[in-house]
C-alpha cells in the first residue's frame, strides 16, 4: 500500500479517486487487514464527502463490499453520519437513493435507537427534498424496514409517522 498511498490525498482530477474505488476489492485483498482502518477505509470516507458526483456514485457502488468489514463503532460514528449528510444534501435523487440504501444496510450492525434519535430527522428532511422520486421513497422505506433492533418506544415515537407519510406518498412504489 505504501507505493500508492500518496494517491489517497489526490482529489483533483477526480479520476484518481474513481480509480482507487474501482480497485477497492484488490486493495482490500492485497493490503494487510491491520492497515484497512488507517489506509483503505479512509478512501471510502473521503469519497462520500467528495463534491464530485461521479466519485460519490462510484463510492456508493463499492460500499457494500466494506460495510460488513468496518468496525461497528466506525459504521455508527463515521460511515452512517457521512451517508446521512450525503443523502440529505445531494441534488441527485439517484445519489440520495443509494445513500439511503447504504444506510439501510448499515443498520444491521449499528445502534438503531441512536440512529433514530440523532440522524433520522435529517434523513427524513433528505427524503422530503426528493419525495417526488419513487426510488428515494423506496430507499426511505428500506431504512424504516431495516430498523429491526430499535426499541418499540423509540420506533413508534420517531419512525411511525414518517413511515405513514412515506408510504402514503403517491411516489412510494
Amino acid at each position: 500500500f505504501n507505493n500508492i498511498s500518496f494517491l489517497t490525498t489526490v482529489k483533483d482530477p477526480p479520476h484518481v479517486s474513481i480509480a482507487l474505488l474501482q480497485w477497492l476489492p484488490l486493495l482490500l485483498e492485497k493490503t494487510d487487514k491491520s492497515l484497512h482502518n488507517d489506509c483503505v477505509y479512509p478512501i471510502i470516507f473521503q469519497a462520500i464527502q467528495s463534491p464530485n458526483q461521479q466519485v460519490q456514485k462510484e463510492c456508493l457502488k463499492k460500499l457494500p463490499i466494506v460495510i460488513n468489514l468496518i468496525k461497528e463503532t466506525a459504521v455508527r460514528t463515521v460511515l452512517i453520519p457521512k451517508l446521512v449528510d450525503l443523502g440529505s444534501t445531494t441534488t441527485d435523487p439517484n445519489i440520495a437513493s443509494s445513500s439511503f440504501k447504504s444506510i439501510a444496510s448499515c443498520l444491521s450492525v449499528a445502534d438503531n435507537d441512536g440512529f433514530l434519535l440523532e440522524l433520522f430527522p435529517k434523513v427524513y428532511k433528505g427524503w422530503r427534498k426528493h419525495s417526488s422520486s419513487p426510488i428515494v421513497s423506496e430507499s426511505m422505506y428500506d431504512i424504516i424496514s431495516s430498523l429491526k433492533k430499535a426499541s418499540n418506544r423509540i420506533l413508534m415515537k420517531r419512525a411511525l409517522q414518517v413511515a405513514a407519510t412515506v408510504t402514503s406518498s403517491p411516489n412510494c412504489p
Side-chain angles (χ1 to χ4, degrees):
F1 190 82
N2 288 339
N3 295 338
I4 63 163
S5 63
F6 72 95
L7 292 174
T8 62
T9 61
V10 176
K11 307 260 185 288
D12 196 33
H15 301 333
V16 173
S17 295
I18 292 169
L20 283 172
L21 291 164
Q22 289 171 338
W23 288 98
L24 190 65
L26 185 64
L27 289 173
L28 288 166
E29 179 186 326
K30 299 292 183 184
T31 304
D32 187 82
K33 288 185 195 260
S34 65
L35 298 175
H36 285 186
N37 285 333
D38 295 328
C39 300
V40 181
Y41 303 150
I43 296 169
I44 291 282
F45 300 150
Q46 290 173 6
I48 291 171
Q49 295 178 294
S50 171
N52 185 287
Q53 289 186 343
Q54 291 304 102
V55 173
Q56 294 168 353
K57 287 177 182 179
E58 189 63 36
C59 176
L60 292 165
K61 279 194 271 183
K62 297 300 183 191
L63 205 50
I65 297 168
V66 298
I67 286 175
N68 291 322
L69 301 175
I70 299 174
K71 291 180 183 173
E72 186 271 335
T73 305
V75 169
R76 183 174 38 86
T77 62
V78 180
L79 184 58
I80 292 177
K82 289 181 186 304
L83 288 168
V84 168
D85 286 343
L86 177 59
S88 63
T89 59
T90 186
T91 57
D92 184 328
N94 291 311
I95 292 174
S97 173
S98 294
S99 296
F100 291 171
K101 283 187 181 295
S102 295
I103 292 167
S105 296
C106 291
L107 290 173
S108 65
V109 296
D111 171 25
N112 287 192
D113 287 344
F115 170 78
L116 280 168
L117 292 170
E118 297 168 20
L119 298 171
F120 192 66
K122 194 169 184 180
V123 172
Y124 178 64
K125 286 180 185 173
W127 171 77
R128 288 185 50 133
K129 181 177 178 180
H130 298 285
S131 62
S132 63
S133 170
I135 60 171
V136 178
S137 292
E138 182 179 343
S139 300
M140 186 67 171
Y141 178 77
D142 289 346
I143 289 175
I144 294 167
S145 59
S146 295
L147 292 164
K148 298 185 183 346
K149 298 189 305 182
S151 67
N152 287 338
R153 182 176 163 275
I154 294 175
L155 187 63
M156 295 298 178
K157 188 176 182 180
R158 293 291 180 146
L160 188 60
Q161 183 177 1
V162 172
T165 303
V166 171
T167 56
S168 66
S169 167
N171 295 309
C172 188

